[in-house]
Amino acid sequence: MFKNLLLLFITTLFFNKTYSQSSASSAGGVTAPKFSNEFMNIGVGARALGMANTQVSIVQDVTAGYWNPAGLLDIKSDYDVALMHSEYFGGIIQYDYAGFAVPIDSMSHLGISVIRLGADDIPDTRFLYDADGRLNYDNIRFFGVADYGFLVSYARHLPWIKGLKGGANFKIIYRNVGNFANAWGFGLDAGLKLDLKNGWHFGAMARDITGTFNAWAHNTALVAEVFAQTGNAIPRNSIEITLPRLILSASKEFVIHKKFGALIAVDLNTTFDGRRNVPIQTERVSIDPGMGVELNYLKKVFLRGGVHNIQQIKDTKGGTFTSFQPTFGVGINISRFTIDYAFTDVGNQSEALYSNVFSLKVAINK
């Protein structure tokens, strides 16, 4: 199965090679923008966000359903449950995640993940004025915008190499803009994970390997008049394609002392839609590296940090400077419960506002 998924991933990249160069344009109502379904790239779990999202080779819990489904096989409990909540831009945007994982048998595992990114109570001012032209704030209506991701994950031990695991996701995307528009999308992910006895871990995660197709339906009757008055183009039903990306990862565990340990991970997030503002870039491929570190005491108390989102930014004098997003996090494991916290913009080095992220994980045995 995984050989077929890999072949499909390579074929899809070849098919989209020329098409992605004109990603901003459309042909027959089909577009392939560079930043499609970006809410699915934010990340889940405060542990991951505290380590700059470097999880593909080290994830060992229910969040593997998102990061690398092959990691579900490292879960030791009968059931693994995780919840996360975070807020962005001063609480305007709500971001939530829930995950559940259970073993099928000694060779395979099943996981289910749900992600939501949304903004509620957005004012609709189309009817702000009465028929006689008077301003009436009671006419303001409200609507919400939300993106949903549903993932069903399957993982299985692979016989080719000792310690090799494979996994795949089937995902459903639903995006809603009030009564104005909505979209349904479907896609596939595939991942591999290799754990060696000397403390090295390697992972690969191919996202949207077939291209994730989002079919947009617009209720043009609600906006046609306003758009015509403001000179905007009337939206039309279309298909938006999320192009594939590949994440390669390597990590190493170290023993600092009998009670202290460390873990260092590096992920290379590779996109195939042309040049991006990342440290490694070509006309075809761009690579965005990230590095995370985790220190632990008896694997009960954790201190984490990382760096990613490295970019070159132009200043007002015509020069450039390097911008990056540092991350910080802590965690504690008490019996069956793990509580993690992440602070995702230390020192205001990136343009985005900082966020406080909390997540809870519970391991349940029969």
Side-chain angles (χ1 to χ4, degrees):
M1 180 182 70
F2 294 99
K3 288 182 178 179
N4 293 335
L5 288 175
L6 179 60
L7 179 61
L8 185 60
F9 175 72
I10 296 172
T11 304
T12 305
L13 289 181
F14 178 79
F15 175 78
N16 287 312
K17 185 176 181 180
T18 302
Y19 183 70
S20 63
Q21 291 181 329
S22 56
S23 59
S25 64
S26 63
V30 179
T31 61
K34 280 190 176 183
F35 303 102
S36 172
N37 287 340
E38 277 299 294
F39 78 101
M40 293 296 291
N41 294 321
I42 295 174
V44 302
R47 182 203 186 199
L49 297 177
M51 296 182 67
N53 291 356
T54 54
Q55 292 292 296
V56 170
S57 63
I58 66 173
V59 65
Q60 296 177 317
D61 58 22
V62 61
T63 62
Y66 171 89
W67 292 109
N68 184 350
L72 292 172
L73 293 166
D74 294 321
I75 297 175
K76 306 302 181 184
S77 59
D78 294 323
Y79 307 101
D80 215 32
V81 181
L83 299 171
M84 186 195 80
H85 174 75
S86 61
E87 300 180 359
Y88 295 91
F89 303 104
I92 297 175
I93 306 295
Q94 310 291 316
Y95 182 57
D96 297 285
Y97 156 79
F100 173 78
V102 60
I104 299 175
D105 51 40
S106 60
M107 294 293 292
S108 56
H109 225 95
L110 178 70
I112 299 174
S113 306
V114 180
I115 297 170
R116 181 188 185 272
L117 177 74
D120 302 309
D121 298 326
I122 301 173
D124 180 358
T125 59
R126 291 176 299 149
F127 309 101
L128 186 58
Y129 292 90
D130 289 329
D132 57 5
R134 289 186 303 174
L135 188 66
N136 187 349
Y137 289 102
D138 292 333
N139 290 340
I140 295 178
R141 305 175 186 180
F142 296 87
F143 68 97
V145 175
D147 297 329
Y148 297 87
F150 306 92
L151 288 80
V152 179
S153 308
Y154 175 77
R156 188 172 183 83
H157 289 281
L158 301 178
W160 310 325
I161 302 175
K162 186 175 182 180
L164 182 64
K165 312 173 184 73
N169 289 333
F170 171 70
K171 58 186 177 185
I172 301 173
I173 305 295
Y174 176 67
R175 305 181 68 181
N176 175 260
V177 185
N179 295 322
F180 306 109
N182 65 77
W184 285 96
F186 304 90
L188 294 173
D189 304 329
L192 293 172
K193 189 169 183 282
L194 177 63
D195 300 312
L196 303 180
K197 291 184 178 181
N198 59 3
W200 279 99
H201 306 276
F202 300 93
M205 179 63 172
R207 291 185 176 168
D208 305 300
I209 56 176
T210 61
T212 294
F213 293 79
N214 303 279
W216 279 97
H218 295 270
N219 191 347
T220 55
L222 295 178
V223 297
E225 182 179 351
V226 174
F227 276 41
Q229 292 174 353
T230 55
N232 289 288
I234 305 298
R236 59 173 178 163
N237 296 347
S238 61
I239 295 177
E240 177 185 294
I241 302 175
T242 305
L243 298 177
R245 69 172 58 201
L246 176 66
I247 304 173
L248 300 177
S249 177
S251 57
K252 179 72 166 67
E253 291 185 82
F254 300 90
V255 176
I256 300 176
H257 191 265
K258 292 181 180 180
K259 298 182 178 181
F260 295 90
L263 174 65
I264 299 177
V266 175
D267 280 20
L268 301 177
N269 197 326
T270 307
T271 53
F272 305 90
D273 52 12
R275 190 180 298 276
R276 293 191 178 203
N277 186 12
V278 295
I280 304 172
Q281 51 182 274
T282 70
E283 293 298 327
R284 301 288 189 187
V285 179
S286 296
I287 301 176
D288 185 13
M291 186 180 74
V293 178
E294 180 181 72
L295 305 176
N296 75 82
Y297 173 73
L298 294 176
K299 293 194 175 181
K300 296 292 184 181
V301 180
F302 303 90
L303 178 66
R304 306 177 179 114
V307 175
H308 64 153
N309 269 350
I310 304 171
Q311 301 182 16
Q312 290 295 317
I313 307 297
K314 291 184 178 181
D315 58 28
T316 56
K317 298 180 180 179
T320 61
F321 66 94
T322 300
S323 172
F324 61 92
Q325 183 178 353
T327 61
F328 170 79
V330 294
I332 183 170
N333 175 258
I334 303 173
S335 184
R336 297 178 291 114
F337 299 90
T338 302
I339 302 173
D340 294 309
Y341 164 79
F343 185 69
T344 62
D345 194 8
V346 180
N348 196 29
Q349 290 292 325
S350 69
E351 297 297 325
L353 300 174
Y354 69 85
S355 298
N356 298 290
V357 183
F358 294 90
S359 65
L360 170 67
K361 186 181 66 176
V362 183
I364 304 172
N365 291 310
K366 295 179 182 179

